Amino acid sequence: MLTDLNLMFCVIGLSETKIMVNQHPLFNTEIPGYIFVSQPTSCNAEGVGFFIRCDLSYIIRNDFSITNPDFQSLWI
């Protein structure tokens, strides 16, 4: 569907990724032209992630990113 738009978003945010710590994602994280980064969960929470366009510079802000039973956050 993304290829039909003829538009490459800078960042695509995801919630409820269900990616657990020390476990491979249950879905394909490869989208041509994007890098996938995530904040996995270590509990029954949902996890969050970003697809970031390959030509963008970014830094993951671990000092703001949080994982706990109530919520996860990922800052770049």
Side-chain angles (χ1 to χ4, degrees):
M1 184 159 96
L2 287 174
T3 56
D4 291 339
L5 294 175
N6 291 327
L7 170 68
M8 286 195 69
F9 295 101
C10 294
V11 176
I12 301 168
L14 300 177
S15 63
E16 302 185 22
T17 62
K18 302 195 186 294
I19 298 174
M20 300 290 290
V21 172
N22 299 322
Q23 180 184 36
H24 292 289
L26 300 175
F27 61 95
N28 183 2
T29 60
E30 296 181 22
I31 296 178
Y34 289 89
I35 297 167
F36 181 71
V37 297
S38 69
Q39 180 73 20
T41 181
S42 58
C43 52
N44 278 339
E46 303 299 333
V48 293
F50 290 121
F51 284 99
I52 304 168
R53 202 172 63 202
C54 287
D55 63 334
L56 297 177
S57 296
Y58 67 94
I59 297 170
I60 295 174
R61 294 294 309 263
N62 290 318
D63 53 331
F64 292 144
S65 301
I66 298 170
T67 296
N68 67 40
D70 297 321
F71 71 94
Q72 299 78 50
S73 66
L74 176 60
W75 291 81
I76 54 173

